[in-house]
Amino acid sequence: MKTVLIANRKGGCGKTTVAITLAAALADGGWKVGLADADPQKSSTRWLKRRPDGVAAITALDWSSKKVLGDVPKGIDWVVIDAPGSLDEDDAQTLVAEAKAVICPVMPSFFDEDSSRRFLKEIHEIKRIRKGKVGVELLANRVKPRGRANQRLDAFFERMGQQPVARITERVAYGDLAEAGLSVFDKPQAAFRPLRAQWEPLIRAIV
């Protein structure tokens, strides 16, 4: 079993959208996937409850309590963890201990970049990350195709010395599909093909 943690202390950076999309992508690829909701707001859990019949199955895992954190039923190939925004040092240590990789979504704004920089500095002090046992990937999220903020975001990645594994553009389709318990990987239509393609570098990086 492999586990991917979606985390950033900055609220509103799109952690849940990344988590549900990645879980749906892996499930669409034929793996048995668990979506672990470690956020007290339980947005991922509510998304799963809206998920209709006829799409790739994803198992709901409630990790909002420390007592059940890490519990996974047998037969699961991948666990995608939707981390809470208020991720303290102890929770970060615990969740990273479960992970094969950490995905950190970053949005193109000063506040997101500053918060992400501090968060990344902190988690790189965690022993498993420091020793290279857990990889950390940056994800440029909700990028506007022609937004001036993209230059700021590029400069941020340059300063961090790490380029994003993928760039996900801002599209209303993500919100519309999430309301129905769906993701772009549940929609085979040609119109969604460019959106799915943006996630391929991330999927290749972790698989």
Side-chain angles (χ1 to χ4, degrees):
M1 185 188 73
K2 298 177 181 179
T3 302
V4 181
L5 172 64
I6 314 300
N8 190 335
R9 195 167 290 128
K10 177 67 175 67
C13 65
K15 291 186 296 294
T16 296
T17 298
V18 173
I20 64 178
T21 305
L22 183 57
L26 293 168
D28 182 63
W31 283 289
K32 295 185 182 302
V33 179
L35 180 55
D37 198 339
D39 191 336
Q41 295 184 30
K42 296 191 175 182
S43 298
S44 294
T45 300
R46 292 200 302 273
W47 175 77
L48 280 173
K49 288 180 178 179
R50 290 175 173 267
R51 200 154 169 77
D53 295 333
V55 295
I58 299 172
T59 300
L61 305 175
D62 183 358
W63 284 15
S64 58
S65 167
K66 293 183 185 295
K67 294 180 181 179
V68 295
L69 195 150
D71 288 354
V72 181
K74 291 181 179 180
I76 296 292
D77 302 312
W78 285 90
V79 173
V80 178
I81 308 171
D82 185 9
S86 56
L87 188 64
D88 61 31
E89 185 176 347
D90 289 341
D91 286 343
Q93 291 271 4
T94 303
L95 291 173
V96 167
E98 300 286 336
K100 170 184 183 286
V102 178
I103 308 300
C104 180
V106 183
M107 285 179 59
S109 78
F110 166 77
F111 297 107
D112 284 83
E113 293 158 17
D114 182 63
S115 178
S116 299
R117 177 184 56 77
R118 289 184 280 112
F119 172 71
L120 289 165
K121 183 178 180 180
E122 290 174 18
I123 66 170
H124 273 92
E125 295 301 317
I126 296 175
K127 187 175 181 180
R128 294 192 73 230
I129 292 178
R130 193 173 67 245
K131 290 194 170 186
K133 295 182 178 180
V134 178
V136 177
E137 300 285 359
L138 306 181
L139 181 72
N141 196 35
R142 293 180 179 170
V143 176
K144 295 182 179 179
R146 296 180 181 84
R148 289 191 302 173
N150 294 346
Q151 295 178 356
R152 177 190 291 275
L153 192 59
D154 289 340
F156 166 77
F157 292 127
E158 196 69 33
R159 289 194 300 272
M160 295 302 298
Q162 183 178 355
Q163 291 301 307
V165 66
R167 292 175 182 266
I168 309 301
T169 53
E170 186 174 34
R171 291 289 188 272
V172 295
Y174 288 105
D176 292 343
L177 290 170
E179 189 174 353
L182 298 170
S183 85
V184 294
F185 285 91
D186 298 307
K187 305 295 284 185
Q189 291 88 343
F192 295 95
R193 194 174 299 150
L195 299 184
R196 294 194 299 270
Q198 293 180 355
W199 294 85
E200 290 302 325
L202 171 61
I203 296 167
R204 288 197 301 269
I206 65 170
V207 169

